[in-house]
Amino acid sequence: MTAQRQAQLLNRTGDALPLKRISVTGVLRGLLFQASVVQTFVNPFDRNAELVYTFPVPWGAVLMGVDVKLAGKELHGTVIDKKKAEKQYEDALADGNTAIMLERNADESFTLNLGNLAAKEECVITLRYAQIVKFQQQSLRLTIPTVIAPRYGDAVRDGGLSPHQTVSYDLLAEYPFDFELYLHGQLASARIGSPSHPIKVKNLVGGAEAISKVSLGRSAWLDRDFVLILDELTHDSLFILGDDMVRKDAVVVLASFCPRLPGHIPQTVALRILVDCSGSMAGSSIQAAQMALASIVSSFKSGDTFLLSRFGSSVEHRSRTLWKTTTATQASAQRWIEGLAADMGGTEMEQALQATLALAPDVPGDLLLLTDGEVEAINTVIATAVQSGVRMFIVGIGSSPAQNHLQRLAEATGGACEFVAPGEDVHAATIRMFTRLRGPHMKAPTVVWPEGIKPIWTSTAPLQIFDGDCVNVMALLETAPEGDVTLLAQAPDTTQPVAIASAAISGQRIHAHELSRLVGYQRVQSTTVDQSEAANLKECVDYQLITDQTNFVLVYERADAQAMVEMPELVKVPQMMPASSAMYSAAREYSGSPMSAPRVWLSIRSSAAARIDARSPIQLKAPEADTPQGLSLWLAVTKRKDWPKSYVELRRIGVPSLTVDWLELEIAAQDGMLIREEVVVRAFIEAVGRCFSAKLQSDRGLRAYLSKWSALAAAACIPSSRVLSTTLLDATLRELNDRLERALRKCTVSAWQLTTDA
């Protein structure tokens, strides 16, 4: 292997990966965050290819532009009608030219289509976006999502994605990630920290125009969101005015209110707590959820009531009604929390909401959801939550939670969201959440503009106002206002709205188009705008906004000698697995690998097998569990603690769905009783070991295979392969084990032949 070949990024099949690196440079001034994301692609194949890459953007971010560098040339495209863009893109490929198309997906992610990239050719794409940030109780959390985690459900049927927009993964992919952020003004003097990455902070300029630079403290990868927390901030209501880029005689405004609610006695809470214990929460996510729950339960006071439920493919309730807060109930709750595990299969969130809300339906209260939000069918979940009329307060858990999903769910019900990264201190988040829960229900917020000002359009204020949580309102006005703009809201015990915040209007304008396009995006996405689809489309094109109706498209016409003579082969750019994913091994690696510490091996198999793969001087294919022989080999080279404990985990290591369904639907049911999932899975594994270990030992080829694994394991300083245990789980489960063994005797080493009459 040459030095050049060694420098390439390779997947587990030995092919080079099309994505080389991603770097982000951001600037944060007051409420406006602007970022440039540089994506570097290369076609590693010996043929022309169409690279398709789906990626996330922050909540509320709006794409401002796309710049392309290809074949040594700087290229620029435009935003046009979606159908026209798709035709223009496909026609360009048919003509042998290179084309780039960027589209917004139904889940608010984006898909980049890079068609007809020549063999070994490199293309650098720079995406620019802007976002209005939101202060929360003297703190600011800035998140740069880098990866879309696997989600429960069908991405096409439940999530509304097109097949090419769906995400694929490579468990051994490693993409470098770099980040720099420049903080201006007051933000430069805030207390700055990151729970996701080690960072360095350098003060560049002091005084009123202070600037600080935040950069990564060591190498990083696209396996977790970058999270930056700024606290000890003081934020007052302010008003920003700008020129509209389309209506030359109009102005756009951003009124950012920092409400201070009138004095009140903290309220008691009636809280239904619902915890996601699906497979996607395994590892650090469920540990973060336990920490958050422990802090929440300890925050209950006399007079508070609460209910505990957990869900996955089904839902389990700790009690039939809400408990009152006593020493006994808090102690019982803490024991329940300690026993939580991500062992409940899929993420049937809608059914779990319905079942939890059905308990004590006559008792008013709120619902607190702890989840990573990794579901495709989020729209049905939101509809169910809105119909219930219950406010949902959400703690998003994990290294890459579905932030857009959870923010939408919270805002649609008048609740709020907090996010907790693995290893992050949850105490501050708990305090902020209980401040909202115990605060007055300030409803019906309205904005009062200076006399004589009637907005052409104004964004909708949130359903609920919380003390210290910033409220951002955008508007399009005919003329620049003078005076003050005021935010009113109605307290629960009054009939008249009261002023809770006011922003003074200054004559200073910003002349850049970012604010205009942010306001334009909110306007075309708003359900309150009464105009035709054609008028909406025109505004999207006028403001150059990538929406459901429009795509960005660019065509690079190649010279005849460089034109492609065949249609490109579609190649999905795979993503890394998120650091808190269930498909990561629980082992952490500090062996000098280039991955950022703590490193977690990217493998659905054990950390032992991953180390063997990484250090093996030969290409030894890892066993797959799609046959009895494959499962036996997988178990032989995998640590016992990493063996599957649920039906979901069996599927993840490759056991066919029909086999797992047979276990769940036939074997688990005995005499009208349902045997617990982990018991069935363990018994199945033990039975496979007993039935096939002799066959493995009698096969010279298989013995040689295991011998190689054992030698490599010894070289990597890990336990060698083990003989499967034949210990029965319990004497009372002999019938279960007998049924399994009778069925497995009909199987061959290469095929599962299982029948329901076992």
Side-chain angles (χ1 to χ4, degrees):
M1 183 178 288
T2 65
Q4 182 181 6
R5 180 64 175 169
Q6 289 175 339
Q8 289 181 328
L9 295 176
L10 305 178
N11 64 12
R12 57 180 171 178
T13 66
D15 290 331
L17 295 166
L19 178 60
K20 292 180 66 176
R21 69 180 67 85
I22 286 182
S23 61
V24 179
T25 302
V27 177
L28 183 58
R29 289 186 180 91
L31 300 173
L32 183 62
F33 174 62
Q34 298 167 279
S36 293
V37 182
V38 180
Q39 302 174 339
T40 303
F41 297 92
V42 65
N43 178 1
F45 308 108
D46 295 325
R47 60 192 183 277
N48 57 312
E50 179 184 13
L51 306 183
V52 178
Y53 179 52
T54 297
F55 59 93
V57 297
W59 164 252
V62 176
L63 265 293
M64 292 289 156
V66 183
D67 302 320
V68 177
K69 186 175 182 179
L70 177 65
K73 298 179 180 180
E74 301 286 345
L75 307 174
H76 304 280
T78 187
V79 175
I80 62 174
D81 173 87
K82 189 179 189 72
K83 293 181 180 179
K84 292 180 180 179
E86 291 171 347
K87 184 178 186 305
Q88 189 172 331
Y89 176 82
E90 294 296 341
D91 287 349
L93 301 193
D95 292 337
N97 294 318
T98 296
I100 296 170
M101 185 171 68
L102 185 65
E103 53 190 332
R104 181 180 181 272
N105 304 328
D107 64 351
E108 301 187 14
S109 65
F110 283 78
T111 294
L112 177 72
N113 305 268
L114 175 51
N116 264 344
L117 193 64
K120 311 305 179 185
E121 190 172 42
E122 183 176 282
C123 181
V124 179
I125 297 177
T126 301
L127 308 172
R128 291 174 282 107
Y129 66 77
Q131 175 190 20
I132 299 298
V133 298
K134 184 177 179 180
F135 290 86
Q136 293 182 313
Q137 300 176 33
Q138 297 185 328
S139 69
L140 173 65
R141 186 185 186 93
L142 183 68
T143 300
I144 309 296
T146 65
V147 61
I148 300 173
R151 293 173 180 168
Y152 177 76
D154 188 289
V156 176
R157 183 189 65 242
D158 303 326
L161 299 182
S162 298
H164 73 281
Q165 297 170 341
T166 59
V167 177
S168 63
Y169 300 91
D170 191 318
L171 299 176
L172 299 182
E174 297 179 354
Y175 301 128
F177 167 69
D178 195 20
F179 178 83
E180 286 186 353
L181 173 67
Y182 295 88
L183 303 172
H184 288 251
Q186 177 201 192
L187 300 173
S189 58
R191 189 174 66 172
I192 303 169
S194 173
S196 61
H197 294 73
I199 60 172
K200 298 182 294 185
V201 180
K202 182 178 181 180
N203 296 323
L204 303 180
V205 180
E209 300 298 325
I211 301 176
S212 291
K213 175 185 175 182
V214 180
S215 57
L216 295 175
R218 61 168 68 105
S219 298
W221 304 79
L222 293 180
D223 62 348
R224 70 200 73 191
D225 294 347
F226 177 83
V227 179
L228 190 72
I229 298 176
L230 290 78
D231 56 15
E232 297 183 357
L233 293 169
T234 57
H235 174 61
D236 295 323
S237 300
L238 58 88
F239 190 91
I240 302 174
L241 182 69
D243 299 312
D244 187 68
M245 63 179 287
V246 176
R247 296 172 175 84
K248 301 302 181 182
D249 56 346
V251 295
V252 290
V253 299
L254 168 64
S256 180
F257 299 103
C258 188
R260 294 289 182 260
L261 304 186
H264 64 275
I265 300 174
Q267 302 177 0
T268 58
V269 299
L271 197 59
R272 293 166 173 82
I273 300 175
L274 182 60
V275 189
D276 185 350
C277 288
S278 64
S280 67
M281 290 284 289
S284 59
S285 291
I286 196 66
Q287 295 169 5
Q290 288 174 304
M291 292 173 59
L293 277 170
S295 180
I296 289 165
V297 168
S298 65
S299 298
F300 286 130
K301 299 178 180 179
S302 178
D304 294 337
T305 57
F306 64 96
L307 180 148
L308 301 169
S309 302
R310 73 184 193 116
F311 76 98
S313 298
S314 58
V315 60
E316 297 177 0
H317 307 293
R318 179 62 182 86
S319 64
R320 290 172 292 180
T321 187
L322 279 79
W323 284 344
K324 66 179 182 180
T325 299
T326 65
T327 302
T329 58
Q330 285 181 300
S332 181
Q334 295 289 4
R335 286 193 297 271
W336 181 81
I337 292 167
E338 291 171 3
L340 289 178
D343 57 358
M344 296 190 69
T347 315
E348 295 290 350
M349 189 178 293
E350 182 183 3
Q351 292 87 328
L353 283 177
Q354 292 173 336
T356 304
L357 293 171
L359 296 179
D362 298 330
V363 180
D366 301 311
L367 189 143
L368 178 63
L369 173 66
L370 289 86
T371 180
D372 56 12
E374 304 301 354
V375 293
E376 295 289 359
I378 189 61
N379 290 332
T380 59
V381 174
I382 292 175
T384 297
V386 171
Q387 187 177 10
S388 72
V390 173
R391 297 189 305 175
M392 290 195 62
F393 294 83
I394 302 172
V395 179
I397 301 290
S399 64
S400 55
Q403 184 183 28
N404 288 350
H405 283 7
L406 299 181
Q407 290 280 14
R408 286 178 57 204
L409 180 57
E411 290 190 5
T413 60
C417 237
E418 290 281 349
F419 291 91
V420 176
E424 183 176 357
D425 181 13
V426 301
H427 184 65
T430 302
I431 292 176
R432 289 193 297 269
M433 196 64 87
F434 270 91
T435 297
R436 301 182 186 105
L437 287 165
R438 298 190 187 281
H441 292 205
M442 303 295 292
K443 299 182 179 180
T446 56
V447 176
V448 178
W449 300 93
E451 186 176 354
I453 296 297
K454 185 177 181 180
I456 301 172
W457 170 85
T458 183
S459 62
T460 304
L463 297 177
Q464 298 277 324
I465 304 295
F466 302 106
D467 191 14
D469 281 6
C470 181
V471 178
N472 294 328
V473 177
M474 296 180 179
L476 179 66
L477 308 178
E478 292 181 347
T479 59
E482 295 181 358
D484 292 343
V485 59
T486 304
L487 179 66
L488 306 180
Q490 184 177 323
D493 55 349
T494 62
T495 58
Q496 295 296 322
V498 296
I500 57 175
S502 181
I505 300 173
S506 66
Q508 184 178 2
R509 296 193 184 195
I510 60 172
H511 298 287
H513 287 160
E514 282 82 2
L515 180 59
S516 175
R517 296 178 69 186
L518 284 164
V519 174
Y521 183 85
Q522 292 298 325
R523 175 175 162 78
V524 298
Q525 295 292 103
S526 173
T527 58
T528 62
V529 176
D530 185 18
Q531 62 183 20
S532 67
E533 184 175 334
N536 236 22
L537 173 60
K538 183 179 184 303
E539 288 209 7
C540 293
V541 174
D542 289 343
Y543 286 99
Q544 287 291 281
L545 302 170
I546 303 174
T547 66
D548 297 336
Q549 296 176 280
T550 53
N551 288 353
F552 168 89
V553 66
L554 179 155
V555 174
Y556 172 57
E557 295 186 2
R558 294 182 178 270
D560 292 341
Q562 297 178 331
M564 308 300 170
V565 296
E566 294 184 358
M567 290 298 287
E569 180 176 341
L570 188 145
V571 177
K572 280 191 177 181
V573 179
Q575 299 201 19
M576 294 182 66
M577 290 300 302
S580 59
S581 169
M583 299 181 79
Y584 263 66
S585 166
R588 293 184 173 183
E589 177 68 28
Y590 294 91
S591 61
S593 164
M595 291 193 75
S596 55
R599 176 169 184 182
V600 185
W601 282 98
L602 310 180
S603 178
I604 58 174
R605 297 175 295 111
S606 69
S607 55
R611 285 196 205 61
I612 291 170
D613 285 346
R615 304 184 185 192
S616 173
I618 59 175
Q619 294 297 320
L620 184 63
K621 184 180 178 182
E624 298 291 343
D626 55 348
T627 64
Q629 169 186 299
L631 177 58
S632 300
L633 289 171
W634 190 96
L635 296 168
V637 298
T638 303
K639 288 184 179 180
R640 181 177 294 274
K641 70 180 183 64
D642 294 327
W643 286 0
K645 302 176 182 62
S646 68
Y647 301 133
V648 169
E649 291 175 357
L650 282 176
R651 289 188 176 94
R652 282 183 179 143
I653 66 171
V655 178
S657 292
L658 287 176
T659 302
V660 181
D661 290 345
W662 173 78
L663 285 172
E664 184 176 1
L665 302 178
E666 300 294 335
I667 294 299
Q670 288 194 35
D671 301 325
M673 299 177 61
L674 193 66
I675 304 176
R676 291 178 58 185
E677 179 177 4
E678 62 269 26
V679 174
V680 175
V681 173
R682 178 62 184 274
F684 173 66
I685 289 172
E686 295 285 347
V688 169
R690 287 192 298 276
C691 290
F692 292 96
S693 59
K695 296 180 182 180
L696 292 176
Q697 294 301 322
S698 64
D699 188 298
R700 289 185 61 186
L702 294 177
R703 289 206 310 273
Y705 184 98
L706 287 173
S707 177
K708 283 185 178 181
W709 276 93
S710 299
L712 290 168
C717 300
I718 59 174
S720 60
S721 55
R722 289 150 312 279
V723 178
L724 295 172
S725 168
T726 59
T727 304
L728 292 178
L729 294 171
D730 191 278
T732 59
L733 296 179
R734 289 186 181 277
E735 182 180 351
L736 168 63
N737 286 270
D738 290 343
R739 291 183 70 200
L740 286 167
E741 287 200 29
R742 286 198 303 271
L744 290 173
R745 289 192 193 106
K746 302 175 184 179
C747 300
T748 65
V749 294
S750 59
W752 299 102
Q753 297 176 359
L754 301 167
T755 59
T756 57
D757 58 355

